[in-house]
């Protein structure tokens, strides 16, 4: 799903108060991490992850890899944190503009 700039701004502002729920460490983007991200996106639609310095990927690369593996959209990458969004038709939590 491709997000417009207005939708991305809305989701970015919604993610400001969110806690980081996943961390990606020295193992990088593994199958286990992909499954955890899929489950989290299914439950929440919008998640914030943190890429540790020991990760072999940059935060942008890790976010892009996770988005491709899960079908999600990268909302933003700031510093070591990335925000991902995937619409769940059974559990819509965010009314996008």
């Amino acid at each position: 799903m491709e997000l417009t700039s207005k939708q991305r701004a809305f989701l970015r502002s919604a993610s400001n108060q969110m806690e980081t729920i996943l961390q990606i460490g020295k193992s990088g983007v593994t199958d286990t991490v992909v499954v955890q991200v899929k489950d989290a996106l299914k439950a929440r639609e919008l998640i914030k992850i943190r890429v540790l310095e020991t990760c072999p990927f940059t935060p942008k690369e890790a976010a892009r890899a996770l988005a491709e593996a899960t079908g999600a959209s990268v909302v933003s990458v700031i510093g070591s944190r990335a925000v991902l969004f995937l619409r769940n038709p059974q559990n819509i939590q965010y009314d996008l503009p």
Side-chain angles (χ1 to χ4, degrees):
M1 171 181 181
E2 191 64 34
L3 297 172
T4 65
S5 60
K6 195 176 266 193
Q7 291 170 333
R8 196 172 294 111
F10 172 79
L11 291 170
R12 197 171 32 243
S13 70
S15 71
N16 283 339
Q17 296 84 11
M18 292 179 64
E19 293 291 320
T20 303
I21 62 166
L22 288 171
Q23 293 184 353
I24 300 174
K26 63 183 176 183
S27 299
V29 180
T30 62
D31 292 337
T32 306
V33 171
V34 171
V35 169
Q36 288 177 334
V37 169
K38 279 183 184 178
D39 291 343
L41 285 168
K42 187 175 181 182
R44 300 174 183 228
E45 287 190 328
L46 186 68
I47 63 168
K48 188 185 285 188
I49 61 171
R50 181 172 180 223
V51 180
L52 301 176
E53 290 182 16
T54 57
C55 182
F57 299 109
T58 66
K60 282 187 180 183
E61 292 170 342
R64 197 173 314 123
L66 285 171
E68 287 176 13
T70 61
S73 298
V74 178
V75 175
S76 69
V77 178
I78 299 174
S80 64
R81 303 201 194 288
V83 179
L84 301 175
F85 175 77
L86 180 64
R87 170 69 73 208
N88 182 356
Q90 287 94 22
N91 186 19
I92 295 177
Q93 297 181 8
Y94 296 95
D95 260 342
L96 296 179

